[in-house]
Amino acid sequence: MSRAAEQAMAASYKALKEDFVSNLTGGEIGEINYVTAVAPAAVILWSTLQARQSFFKPYTPLAFAVDFLLNVAAILVAITLYASTPLLLNVILLAPVPIIYFLPRLPPPKKAKLPPSATNKQASNEKPNPLPKKAFVTTYRGAMIVITCIAILAVDFRIFPRRFAKVENWGTSLMDVGVGSFVFSAGIVAARPILKAQLAGKKLAPLGKRLSQSLRHSLPLIVLGLIRLYSVKGLDYAEHVTEYGVHWNFFFTMGFLPPFVALFQSAFEYLPSYAGLAVALGLAYQAALEFTDLKAFVLTAPRTNLFDKNREGIFSFFGYLAIFLAGQELGLSVLPRGQGNTGGEQRKRLLLKMSAWSAGWIVLFWASTNYSYGLSLAVSRRLANLPYFLWIAAFNTTQLTAFCLVETLFMPTAHKTSATKREEEEVYKTSTSRVLEAFNRNGLAIFLVANLLTGLVNLTVSTLHVTDLQAMGILVAYAATVTGVAVGLDVYDISIKM
């Protein structure tokens, strides 16, 4: 075959791949909820095995295999083989739970005990950690990163339903909620430095110092964005231009968040609520879309200069900033130890608070989209408009509340007050999936690895021409590789901060 013929075939296949992910309309929010409910269902089974049988302690190769099957493979089959019957998969995952409860309960592994005098002395000298690690937060973030990493490759195969892929203009899909959830969860953990400063009695740093500190977090992400940009263009990789624009990508969005959050902290003095700032920003951005030519510009304008070519990424950034701020608000409520004399009392108050936030975001989303009594707006991930921001906030707050409830019911020791920090750390490890802990620990680095592997697969395999069986083989191998990298970094105690 001549070189010209090979180039023509490559160009034809590239166009075919771009068409494969273009002009999609998405699916129903209810179906998305059923599919994503697989993660909490898998955690229920994991928690039951751990609480009743101490199955994952010690963490043997068998324990790792089951951990992978429950918290990674189950999500993979939920968006592929069981995409049309997610409720059946949920039932399959939950069916063993009552059986395990009827089995004789195994005693937990014995652990070395300190002398009573040493234990009492250690407990009396230690103050409770005001910002303890919470297993359900790790589980939520880990599961979110898992489904995101799987979906970015699965979308290139025909076994992945088109209704789950990113929507062109208006509508909802699984991958649309994924990108927003990544930003929302980043906002949750970004509340930790704020809480530490409040506990230390520090005042808000001057704007210049906040901006310089934020740039240290931004620069690595912007560099990654530039590397992705040049690799995509240099390899003539298939891309969906209307997703972010010609040059913009998700790493740029993440990279520009810290300095803009630093700017918005100045407004916190006038509106002391990150949720309030998020809603105000969402409303202002939506007003600009509705009452100016901005919406038409983003959706239909010709791409004549650098600004026009990247308009989706530039203007959707305001929606993602609102999502990040909403995540910070939830983090301020969820991450501290909580109020109450006992762990049970603290957990009850936290569940009530999270349920109230969840209900509030759901009501606001309903009010923005309802055609009879609301604003009659449609969700648009491309614009990251007000309904999209409210949907992401409602979805993630509800998901986190669900994981908290699952932990409360099926791992009751996880929220009990411990005498020492050592005991608290031990309880956290016992209550947390090692796989999900590994994904959570190096989330952005693992996402980068997943992007590199996705590119490698697409450059070496004609993903549109493989059978479903071949697709599943590739996806299982890919999921196992990403999980292996994540767990390997965790085993060697490596944290990669970006």
Side-chain angles (χ1 to χ4, degrees):
M1 186 182 295
S2 68
R3 184 176 180 83
E6 289 179 355
Q7 290 177 341
M9 286 184 64
S12 175
Y13 183 68
K14 179 186 175 184
L16 184 64
K17 291 199 72 171
E18 289 174 351
D19 288 342
F20 189 59
V21 295
S22 300
N23 301 313
L24 302 176
T25 56
E28 297 295 325
I29 288 178
E31 183 184 32
I32 296 168
N33 293 337
Y34 293 145
V35 171
T36 53
V38 167
V43 171
I44 289 175
L45 180 52
W46 186 97
S47 301
T48 305
L49 284 168
Q50 178 71 332
R52 302 294 298 182
Q53 303 295 319
S54 297
F55 188 87
F56 300 97
K57 191 175 181 182
Y59 199 70
T60 62
L62 176 61
F64 169 70
V66 174
D67 200 357
F68 171 78
L69 288 173
L70 289 179
N71 291 305
V72 180
I75 291 175
L76 170 58
V77 298
I79 62 176
T80 52
L81 299 177
Y82 283 86
S84 299
T85 54
L87 285 177
L88 175 60
L89 181 58
N90 281 290
V91 171
I92 292 171
L93 289 168
L94 295 175
V97 171
I99 299 172
I100 296 169
Y101 264 93
F102 280 114
L103 294 175
R105 185 169 186 170
L106 296 181
K110 293 182 179 180
K111 54 184 178 181
K113 292 185 178 181
L114 294 172
S117 58
T119 303
N120 294 336
K121 185 178 180 181
Q122 189 177 6
S124 62
N125 290 338
E126 284 187 350
K127 293 182 179 180
N129 184 359
L131 295 173
K133 293 174 74 175
K134 296 188 175 181
F136 74 91
V137 177
T138 297
T139 301
Y140 151 76
R141 278 177 48 82
M144 181 274 302
I145 295 167
V146 166
I147 194 169
T148 302
C149 290
I150 292 173
I152 61 174
L153 177 59
V155 69
D156 295 318
F157 293 92
R158 295 190 185 278
I159 196 171
F160 185 85
R162 293 302 87 196
R163 64 185 182 278
F164 289 173
K166 288 179 180 176
V167 172
E168 188 72 19
N169 292 321
W170 310 101
T172 56
S173 76
L174 181 69
M175 291 193 72
D176 286 339
V177 80
V179 63
S181 297
F182 207 103
V183 174
F184 189 92
S185 69
I188 290 177
V189 296
R192 187 174 288 274
I194 298 172
L195 290 165
K196 284 184 178 179
Q198 291 176 352
L199 290 167
K202 295 180 181 178
K203 293 183 179 180
L204 186 66
L207 178 60
K209 185 176 181 180
R210 295 202 308 273
L211 286 173
S212 63
Q213 290 174 340
S214 69
L215 288 175
R216 280 183 284 176
H217 297 285
S218 292
L219 286 177
L221 292 166
I222 293 173
V223 170
L224 287 175
L226 290 170
I227 293 172
R228 176 176 169 78
L229 168 63
Y230 285 113
S231 61
V232 167
K233 300 299 181 184
L235 295 170
D236 198 27
Y237 193 75
E239 53 185 330
H240 190 193
V241 172
T242 59
E243 188 175 341
Y244 294 107
V246 176
H247 308 101
W248 198 281
N249 58 60
F250 182 67
F251 290 107
F252 289 140
T253 296
M254 293 296 293
F256 284 112
L257 280 172
F260 277 84
V261 170
L263 288 171
F264 266 77
Q265 284 178 327
S266 300
F268 193 76
E269 298 177 7
Y270 305 99
L271 183 57
S273 165
Y274 285 103
L277 289 172
V279 172
L281 176 60
L283 286 170
Y285 176 48
Q286 188 64 43
L289 289 171
E290 297 298 324
F291 301 114
T292 70
D293 295 331
L294 179 59
K295 186 195 299 183
F297 169 72
V298 174
L299 296 178
T300 63
R303 301 181 188 275
T304 56
N305 55 49
L306 186 64
F307 184 83
D308 294 349
K309 289 178 180 178
N310 297 285
R311 56 185 185 265
E312 290 91 349
I314 293 169
F315 287 104
S316 67
F317 177 80
F318 295 106
Y320 288 117
L321 178 58
I323 290 169
F324 187 90
L325 292 171
Q328 276 194 313
E329 181 68 54
L330 187 61
L332 293 175
S333 299
V334 169
L335 298 183
R337 178 170 293 277
Q339 298 177 340
N341 297 323
T342 65
E345 188 178 337
Q346 292 172 4
R347 180 52 60 93
K348 189 181 295 183
R349 291 185 178 183
L350 178 59
L351 276 170
L352 288 173
K353 185 183 292 186
M354 292 173 67
S355 299
W357 274 113
S358 177
W361 288 120
I362 290 171
V363 168
L364 288 175
F365 173 67
W366 175 87
S368 71
T369 56
N370 187 268
Y371 283 92
S372 300
Y373 305 101
L375 298 178
S376 305
L377 299 173
V379 174
S380 174
R381 189 257 332 138
R382 184 177 177 184
L383 296 170
N385 61 354
L386 178 67
Y388 178 73
F389 145 58
L390 294 173
W391 176 41
I392 297 301
F395 174 86
N396 282 274
T397 307
T398 304
Q399 277 281 104
L400 189 57
T401 304
F403 282 116
C404 183
L405 182 61
V406 167
E407 181 186 276
T408 305
L409 295 176
F410 294 92
M411 288 292 292
T413 57
H415 62 273
K416 300 299 182 186
T417 304
S418 301
T420 65
K421 290 182 181 179
R422 181 179 176 181
E423 289 180 4
E424 196 167 72
E425 182 68 21
E426 186 66 26
V427 168
Y428 170 81
K429 289 181 178 179
T430 302
S431 308
T432 310
S433 156
R434 184 71 177 269
V435 166
L436 295 182
E437 162 69 17
F439 272 94
N440 172 66
R441 180 175 184 175
N442 290 297
L444 200 54
I446 298 304
F447 180 66
L448 176 60
V449 170
N451 271 271
L452 293 173
L453 289 174
T454 297
L456 179 63
V457 171
N458 275 279
L459 290 172
T460 55
V461 177
S462 297
T463 56
L464 298 184
H465 299 150
V466 300
T467 65
D468 286 354
L469 181 61
Q470 290 171 327
M472 286 304 299
I474 294 169
L475 288 170
V476 169
Y478 161 81
T481 302
V482 174
T483 303
V485 172
V487 174
L489 290 173
D490 188 54
V491 166
Y492 287 100
D493 198 24
I494 299 173
S495 294
I496 303 173
K497 302 298 182 185
M498 294 183 183

Short mmCIF file of all heavy atoms in Angstrom, two decimals, residues 22-51:
data_model
loop_
_atom_site.label_atom_id
_atom_site.label_comp_id
_atom_site.label_asym_id
_atom_site.label_seq_id
_atom_site.Cartn_x
_atom_site.Cartn_y
_atom_site.Cartn_z
N SER A 22 -19.43 12.48 18.44
CA SER A 22 -20.02 13.79 18.16
C SER A 22 -21.53 13.71 18.00
O SER A 22 -22.08 12.65 17.70
CB SER A 22 -19.40 14.38 16.88
OG SER A 22 -18.00 14.53 17.01
N ASN A 23 -22.17 14.86 18.23
CA ASN A 23 -23.61 15.03 18.01
C ASN A 23 -24.46 14.04 18.82
O ASN A 23 -25.48 13.54 18.34
CB ASN A 23 -23.94 14.90 16.51
CG ASN A 23 -23.20 15.93 15.68
OD1 ASN A 23 -23.18 17.11 16.02
ND2 ASN A 23 -22.57 15.48 14.60
N LEU A 24 -24.05 13.77 20.04
CA LEU A 24 -24.78 12.84 20.91
C LEU A 24 -25.74 13.60 21.81
O LEU A 24 -25.51 14.78 22.14
CB LEU A 24 -23.79 12.01 21.74
CG LEU A 24 -22.78 11.19 20.92
CD1 LEU A 24 -21.78 10.49 21.83
CD2 LEU A 24 -23.50 10.19 20.03
N THR A 25 -26.80 12.95 22.22
CA THR A 25 -27.85 13.63 23.00
C THR A 25 -27.99 13.11 24.42
O THR A 25 -28.80 13.62 25.19
CB THR A 25 -29.21 13.48 22.29
OG1 THR A 25 -29.49 12.08 22.09
CG2 THR A 25 -29.19 14.18 20.94
N GLY A 26 -27.22 12.08 24.80
CA GLY A 26 -27.23 11.62 26.18
C GLY A 26 -28.39 10.72 26.53
O GLY A 26 -29.04 10.14 25.67
N GLY A 27 -28.66 10.60 27.83
CA GLY A 27 -29.73 9.74 28.33
C GLY A 27 -30.42 10.35 29.53
O GLY A 27 -30.27 11.54 29.81
N GLU A 28 -31.18 9.52 30.24
CA GLU A 28 -31.97 9.99 31.38
C GLU A 28 -31.13 10.02 32.66
O GLU A 28 -30.28 9.17 32.88
CB GLU A 28 -33.17 9.07 31.59
CG GLU A 28 -34.15 9.05 30.42
CD GLU A 28 -34.82 10.40 30.21
OE1 GLU A 28 -35.07 11.09 31.22
OE2 GLU A 28 -35.08 10.76 29.06
N ILE A 29 -31.42 11.00 33.51
CA ILE A 29 -30.72 11.11 34.78
C ILE A 29 -31.00 9.89 35.65
O ILE A 29 -30.12 9.41 36.37
CB ILE A 29 -31.13 12.42 35.51
CG1 ILE A 29 -30.51 13.63 34.80
CG2 ILE A 29 -30.70 12.39 36.97
CD1 ILE A 29 -30.87 14.96 35.39
N GLY A 30 -32.22 9.37 35.58
CA GLY A 30 -32.56 8.19 36.37
C GLY A 30 -31.66 7.01 36.06
O GLY A 30 -31.20 6.31 36.96
N GLU A 31 -31.39 6.78 34.76
CA GLU A 31 -30.52 5.67 34.38
C GLU A 31 -29.10 5.91 34.88
O GLU A 31 -28.42 4.97 35.34
CB GLU A 31 -30.52 5.49 32.86
CG GLU A 31 -29.69 4.29 32.41
CD GLU A 31 -29.61 4.15 30.90
OE1 GLU A 31 -29.65 5.20 30.21
OE2 GLU A 31 -29.51 3.01 30.42
N ILE A 32 -28.63 7.15 34.80
CA ILE A 32 -27.30 7.48 35.31
C ILE A 32 -27.21 7.16 36.79
O ILE A 32 -26.22 6.61 37.29
CB ILE A 32 -26.98 8.96 35.05
CG1 ILE A 32 -26.92 9.24 33.54
CG2 ILE A 32 -25.66 9.37 35.71
CD1 ILE A 32 -26.89 10.71 33.18
N ASN A 33 -28.27 7.48 37.53
CA ASN A 33 -28.30 7.18 38.97
C ASN A 33 -28.26 5.68 39.24
O ASN A 33 -27.58 5.22 40.17
CB ASN A 33 -29.55 7.80 39.61
CG ASN A 33 -29.51 9.32 39.60
OD1 ASN A 33 -28.44 9.92 39.53
ND2 ASN A 33 -30.67 9.94 39.68
N TYR A 34 -28.97 4.90 38.43
CA TYR A 34 -28.96 3.44 38.60
C TYR A 34 -27.56 2.87 38.33
O TYR A 34 -27.10 1.97 39.05
CB TYR A 34 -29.97 2.78 37.65
CG TYR A 34 -31.41 3.08 37.95
CD1 TYR A 34 -32.36 3.21 36.93
CD2 TYR A 34 -31.85 3.25 39.26
CE1 TYR A 34 -33.68 3.50 37.20
CE2 TYR A 34 -33.17 3.53 39.55
CZ TYR A 34 -34.09 3.66 38.51
OH TYR A 34 -35.40 3.94 38.79
N VAL A 35 -26.91 3.38 37.29
CA VAL A 35 -25.58 2.88 36.94
C VAL A 35 -24.57 3.24 38.02
O VAL A 35 -23.77 2.40 38.47
CB VAL A 35 -25.13 3.44 35.57
CG1 VAL A 35 -23.66 3.10 35.30
CG2 VAL A 35 -26.01 2.88 34.46
N THR A 36 -24.59 4.48 38.47
CA THR A 36 -23.62 4.91 39.50
C THR A 36 -23.94 4.34 40.87
O THR A 36 -23.06 4.32 41.74
CB THR A 36 -23.57 6.45 39.58
OG1 THR A 36 -24.90 6.97 39.76
CG2 THR A 36 -22.98 7.05 38.31
N ALA A 37 -25.17 3.83 41.06
CA ALA A 37 -25.51 3.18 42.33
C ALA A 37 -24.76 1.86 42.51
O ALA A 37 -24.72 1.32 43.62
CB ALA A 37 -27.01 2.93 42.40
N VAL A 38 -24.16 1.36 41.43
CA VAL A 38 -23.37 0.13 41.52
C VAL A 38 -22.20 0.32 42.50
O VAL A 38 -21.84 -0.62 43.23
CB VAL A 38 -22.86 -0.28 40.12
CG1 VAL A 38 -21.79 -1.35 40.21
CG2 VAL A 38 -24.02 -0.76 39.26
N ALA A 39 -21.62 1.50 42.53
CA ALA A 39 -20.48 1.75 43.43
C ALA A 39 -20.88 1.60 44.90
O ALA A 39 -20.24 0.85 45.65
CB ALA A 39 -19.86 3.12 43.15
N PRO A 40 -21.94 2.29 45.38
CA PRO A 40 -22.37 2.06 46.77
C PRO A 40 -22.80 0.62 47.03
O PRO A 40 -22.54 0.09 48.12
CB PRO A 40 -23.55 3.03 46.94
CG PRO A 40 -23.33 4.09 45.92
CD PRO A 40 -22.68 3.40 44.77
N ALA A 41 -23.44 -0.03 46.04
CA ALA A 41 -23.85 -1.43 46.22
C ALA A 41 -22.62 -2.32 46.41
O ALA A 41 -22.62 -3.22 47.28
CB ALA A 41 -24.67 -1.90 45.02
N ALA A 42 -21.58 -2.10 45.62
CA ALA A 42 -20.34 -2.87 45.77
C ALA A 42 -19.69 -2.61 47.12
O ALA A 42 -19.15 -3.53 47.76
CB ALA A 42 -19.37 -2.51 44.64
N VAL A 43 -19.76 -1.37 47.60
CA VAL A 43 -19.18 -1.04 48.91
C VAL A 43 -19.97 -1.71 50.04
O VAL A 43 -19.40 -2.09 51.06
CB VAL A 43 -19.12 0.50 49.09
CG1 VAL A 43 -18.73 0.87 50.51
CG2 VAL A 43 -18.14 1.10 48.09
N ILE A 44 -21.29 -1.86 49.86
CA ILE A 44 -22.08 -2.58 50.86
C ILE A 44 -21.59 -4.02 50.99
O ILE A 44 -21.39 -4.53 52.10
CB ILE A 44 -23.58 -2.55 50.48
CG1 ILE A 44 -24.16 -1.15 50.68
CG2 ILE A 44 -24.38 -3.57 51.31
CD1 ILE A 44 -25.60 -1.00 50.21
N LEU A 45 -21.36 -4.67 49.85
CA LEU A 45 -20.86 -6.05 49.88
C LEU A 45 -19.46 -6.09 50.46
O LEU A 45 -19.14 -6.97 51.28
CB LEU A 45 -20.88 -6.64 48.46
CG LEU A 45 -20.40 -8.10 48.31
CD1 LEU A 45 -21.12 -9.01 49.28
CD2 LEU A 45 -20.59 -8.57 46.87
N TRP A 46 -18.60 -5.16 50.06
CA TRP A 46 -17.24 -5.09 50.60
C TRP A 46 -17.28 -4.91 52.12
O TRP A 46 -16.55 -5.60 52.87
CB TRP A 46 -16.48 -3.93 49.96
CG TRP A 46 -15.03 -3.85 50.35
CD1 TRP A 46 -13.97 -4.34 49.66
CD2 TRP A 46 -14.48 -3.26 51.54
NE1 TRP A 46 -12.80 -4.10 50.33
CE2 TRP A 46 -13.08 -3.44 51.50
CE3 TRP A 46 -15.03 -2.61 52.64
CZ2 TRP A 46 -12.23 -2.99 52.50
CZ3 TRP A 46 -14.20 -2.16 53.66
CH2 TRP A 46 -12.81 -2.35 53.59
N SER A 47 -18.12 -3.97 52.59
CA SER A 47 -18.21 -3.69 54.03
C SER A 47 -18.73 -4.88 54.81
O SER A 47 -18.28 -5.15 55.93
CB SER A 47 -19.11 -2.47 54.26
OG SER A 47 -18.61 -1.33 53.59
N THR A 48 -19.70 -5.60 54.23
CA THR A 48 -20.25 -6.78 54.90
C THR A 48 -19.18 -7.86 55.04
O THR A 48 -19.04 -8.48 56.11
CB THR A 48 -21.46 -7.32 54.12
OG1 THR A 48 -22.41 -6.26 53.94
CG2 THR A 48 -22.12 -8.47 54.87
N LEU A 49 -18.43 -8.10 53.98
CA LEU A 49 -17.34 -9.08 54.04
C LEU A 49 -16.31 -8.69 55.09
O LEU A 49 -15.80 -9.54 55.83
CB LEU A 49 -16.66 -9.19 52.67
CG LEU A 49 -17.41 -9.97 51.59
CD1 LEU A 49 -16.76 -9.74 50.23
CD2 LEU A 49 -17.45 -11.45 51.93
N GLN A 50 -16.02 -7.41 55.18
CA GLN A 50 -15.00 -6.95 56.13
C GLN A 50 -15.52 -6.97 57.56
O GLN A 50 -14.82 -7.43 58.48
CB GLN A 50 -14.54 -5.54 55.74
CG GLN A 50 -13.51 -4.93 56.67
CD GLN A 50 -12.14 -5.57 56.56
OE1 GLN A 50 -12.02 -6.74 56.19
NE2 GLN A 50 -11.10 -4.82 56.86
N ALA A 51 -16.75 -6.48 57.77
CA ALA A 51 -17.29 -6.39 59.12
C ALA A 51 -17.61 -7.76 59.72
O ALA A 51 -17.40 -7.99 60.92
CB ALA A 51 -18.54 -5.51 59.12
#
